[in-house]
């Protein structure tokens, strides 16, 4: 309890030091109760949503004749004054009023007097926090989708420049088949596109307004829930008052989408970490996205990528936290649900920072095309091309071609050469019908260019996908 909290019996009038719910109580809460109960330290982030909801509610009450228009206008002017104080950094956030809702209501009473109490007609903190939080999560989903689009644009820009640049494609982190750097980057464009669609889908599902559900059972006043829903940008009001105040699946869905997006960011971050090592040497980052060592002067560490890689733990932890909070709660509202905001805020803060940093890194990186091209032919990466040639040119069943190619790889390995360097006589010793034409498919460049199926790594296909995404992203 703060120093100016009253020892007098508390009332619902909300005067200085008095709780908004105080009429039922004859003594102030214990200090420990106050400490565990107060949420203003984190839920003050909802101030703009709370003011928007209060304005919509006040205008609806005026329109429906529930409160006098002059009282409503005083309330709206007072809310405008409070917004000015908050944006100017002059608003007196106080622990004795617990949360952002009661802080704003108490300040409104200080500014305009008892008429402020009429604002809470036909609503409860239960539907108030439900609408505020839903609006905040909705905006977070919109921001995340926009930031994902910015990252996609950065990837597309690099992919367009390096649509022909050869690099090894991996499975099990072993050289598999040659691909292009542009094709590799476009794989992440697809992943992040699905992430953005998950946020858009989540936004669509959550876009129902709980305001007007009151505590849990609705209101006896002639309120117009369609009007408040429309003013606040919702598609419709929620259809069940119990569900309205007790649902947090909209936050769980958003956190799930955030976790998947963070997982994709982590995968790209891991590749950046690998690619910047001297052993790979595929890309370089400037000083803008690297740090040094306090003891080893030669070091240039990809710390931004490493930190992005780690953020998925925090974001997944937030999803797990809220899932556990909600898993056993009976309808309708329980105070447990106050624990919904911190993990959600933290998760989206981490995701936003990660998306911005990754977009910056992608734009910053410079590939070493010579080193990537040299690595593209390592590990007999054109072996599948040999097998495919045997099927096409010799009409050999693929399983037989696979066996012949395996023997050719073994022969090349024994001689310490690549497949393209294996003598024709050595190949014909394995399969006499092989001709010199086989060498046209055994280079990494020929291998990549041959993958002309839709979505393949052939530069023509890569450019087609780049053009598609440039149109989609605008």
């Amino acid at each position: 309890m703060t120093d100016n909290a009253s020892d007098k019996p508390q009332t619902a009038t909300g005067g200085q030091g008095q709780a908004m719910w105080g009429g039922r109580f004859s003594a102030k809460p214990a200090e420990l109760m106050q400490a565990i109960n107060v949420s203003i330290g984190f839920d003050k982030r909802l101030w703009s949503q709370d003011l928007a909801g209060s304005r919509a509610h006040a205008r609806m009450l005026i329109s429906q004749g529930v409160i006098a228009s002059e009282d409503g206008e005083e309330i709206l002017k007072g809310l405008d004054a409070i917004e000015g104080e908050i944006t100017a950094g002059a608003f007196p956030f106080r622990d004795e009023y617990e949360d952002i809702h009661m802080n704003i209501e108490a300040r409104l009473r200080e500014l305009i007097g008892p008429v402020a109490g009429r604002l809470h007609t036909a609503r409860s903190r239960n539907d108030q926090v439900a609408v505020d939080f839903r609006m905040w999560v909705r905006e977070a989903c919109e921001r995340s989708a926009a930031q994902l689009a910015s990252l996609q644009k950065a990837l597309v820009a690099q992919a367009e420049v390096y649509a022909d640049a050869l690099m090894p494609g991996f499975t099990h982190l072993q050289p598999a088949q040659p691909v292009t750097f542009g094709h590799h980057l476009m794989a992440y464009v697809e992943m992040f596109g699905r992430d953005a669609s998950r946020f858009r889908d989540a936004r669509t599902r959550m876009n129902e307004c709980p305001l007007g559900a009151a505590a849990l059972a609705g209101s006896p006043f002639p309120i117009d829930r369609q009007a408040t829903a429309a003013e606040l940008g919702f598609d419709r009001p929620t259809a069940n008052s119990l569900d309205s105040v007790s649902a947090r699946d909209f936050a769980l869905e958003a956190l799930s989408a955030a976790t998947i997006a963070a997982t994709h960011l982590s995968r790209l971050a891991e590749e950046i970490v690998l690619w910047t090592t001297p052993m790979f040497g595929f890309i370089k980052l400037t000083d803008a996205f690297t740090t040094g060592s306090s003891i080893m002067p030669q070091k240039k560490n990809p710390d931004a990528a490493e930190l992005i890689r780690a953020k998925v733990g925090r974001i997944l932890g937030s999803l797990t936290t809220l899932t556990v909070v909600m898993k056993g709660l009976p309808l309708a509202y329980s105070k447990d649900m106050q624990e919904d905001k911190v993990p959600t805020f933290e998760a989206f803060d981490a995701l936003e920072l990660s998306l911005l940093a990754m977009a910056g890194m992608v734009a910053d990186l410079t590939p070493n095309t010579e080193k990537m091209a040299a690595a593209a032919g390592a590990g007999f990466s054109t072996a599948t091309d040999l097998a495919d040639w045997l099927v096409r040119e010799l009409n050999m069943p693929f399983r037989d071609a696979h066996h012949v190619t395996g023997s050719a790889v073994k022969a090349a390995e024994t001689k310490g050469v690549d497949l393209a360097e294996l003598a024709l006589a050595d190949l014909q010793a394995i399969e006499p019908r092989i001709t010199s034409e086989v060498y046209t498919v055994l280079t990494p460049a020929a291998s990549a260019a041959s993958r002309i199926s839709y979505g393949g790594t052939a530069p023509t296909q890569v450019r087609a996908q780049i053009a598609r995404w440039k149109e989609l992203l605008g």
Side-chain angles (χ1 to χ4, degrees), residues 308-363:
I308 291 171
R309 186 175 59 185
K311 295 294 185 189
V312 68
R314 178 175 297 189
I315 296 169
L316 173 59
S318 295
L319 171 60
T320 302
T321 295
L322 186 52
T323 301
V324 173
V325 167
M326 297 302 300
K327 72 171 184 62
L329 297 186
L331 297 179
Y333 182 84
S334 296
K335 194 71 172 197
D336 311 48
M337 293 162 66
Q338 182 169 290
E339 296 296 314
D340 56 1
K341 296 167 199 65
V342 169
T344 305
F345 294 161
E346 288 183 347
F348 278 97
D349 286 349
L351 181 64
E352 179 173 359
L353 183 58
S354 297
L355 286 168
L356 294 172
M358 182 59 79
M361 267 195 302
V362 167

Side-chain angles (χ1 to χ4, degrees), residues 24-46:
R24 168 66 176 82
F25 292 77
S26 58
K28 66 180 182 180
E31 289 186 7
L32 283 174
M33 179 62 204
Q34 182 76 349
I36 197 172
N37 194 46
V38 168
S39 62
I40 187 62
F42 55 83
D43 69 15
K44 61 185 176 184
R45 289 180 67 156
L46 298 174

Side-chain angles (χ1 to χ4, degrees), residues 258-271:
T259 299
I260 297 170
T263 301
H264 290 154
L265 286 169
S266 183
R267 294 184 73 179
L268 179 53
E270 168 67 4
E271 295 204 300

Side-chain angles (χ1 to χ4, degrees), residues 10-15 18-23 96-99 101-109 120 125:
Q10 296 170 327
T11 72
T13 59
Q18 295 172 329
M20 296 295 177
W21 39 261
E96 63 263 34
Y97 295 123
E98 297 183 18
D99 56 30
H101 324 294
M102 290 169 62
N103 263 266
I104 286 176
E105 186 174 340
R107 183 59 178 154
L108 186 63
R109 175 174 288 273
H120 210 55
R125 272 194 299 171

Side-chain angles (χ1 to χ4, degrees), residues 94-330:
R94 290 169 286 194
D95 284 356
E96 63 263 34
Y97 295 123
E98 297 183 18
D99 56 30
I100 186 60
H101 324 294
M102 290 169 62
N103 263 266
I104 286 176
E105 186 174 340
R107 183 59 178 154
L108 186 63
R109 175 174 288 273
E110 291 170 356
L111 292 173
I112 68 172
V115 71
R118 299 192 182 280
L119 175 60
H120 210 55
T121 307
R123 77 174 182 183
S124 162
R125 272 194 299 171
N126 292 355
D127 62 336
Q128 195 177 352
V129 68
V131 72
D132 291 0
F133 191 40
R134 196 173 286 235
M135 290 169 65
W136 190 95
V137 175
R138 183 178 66 181
E139 292 165 14
C141 288
E142 292 167 354
R143 286 195 305 273
S144 296
Q147 289 156 1
L148 282 160
S150 296
L151 173 53
Q152 288 177 288
K153 288 178 181 179
L155 287 162
V156 167
Q158 288 280 29
E160 190 167 25
V161 175
Y162 299 104
D164 296 277
L166 293 172
M167 69 173 290
F170 298 96
T171 61
H172 308 278
L173 203 56
Q174 302 296 315
Q177 292 178 298
V179 297
T180 70
F181 189 55
H183 189 57
H184 196 110
L185 294 179
M186 291 303 293
Y188 284 102
V189 174
E190 295 289 335
M191 292 185 209
F192 295 132
R194 293 192 297 274
D195 291 329
S197 72
R198 272 183 280 270
F199 283 117
R200 289 192 294 268
D201 289 347
R203 187 203 183 281
T204 297
R205 256 183 298 281
M206 74 178 66
N207 206 36
E208 296 182 342
C209 183
L211 190 60
L216 76 162
S219 173
F221 293 94
I223 61 174
D224 184 351
R225 294 192 62 207
Q226 283 76 17
T228 50
E231 179 169 341
L232 295 172
F234 290 98
D235 296 328
R236 63 192 70 85
T238 50
N240 182 283
S241 60
L242 287 166
D243 178 56
S244 300
V245 300
S246 63
R248 293 297 183 269
D249 56 326
F250 64 90
L252 288 170
E253 185 173 9
L255 288 171
S256 177
T259 299
I260 297 170
T263 301
H264 290 154
L265 286 169
S266 183
R267 294 184 73 179
L268 179 53
E270 168 67 4
E271 295 204 300
I272 290 173
V273 170
L274 289 173
W275 292 344
T276 55
T277 63
M279 286 70 76
F280 274 79
F282 285 0
I283 66 170
K284 287 185 178 180
L285 293 170
T286 71
D287 295 351
F289 289 94
T290 55
T291 64
S293 165
S294 63
I295 189 172
M296 296 169 285
Q298 83 283 7
K299 294 295 293 297
K300 195 171 187 180
N301 301 321
D303 282 4
E306 292 170 4
L307 289 166
I308 291 171
R309 186 175 59 185
K311 295 294 185 189
V312 68
R314 178 175 297 189
I315 296 169
L316 173 59
S318 295
L319 171 60
T320 302
T321 295
L322 186 52
T323 301
V324 173
V325 167
M326 297 302 300
K327 72 171 184 62
L329 297 186

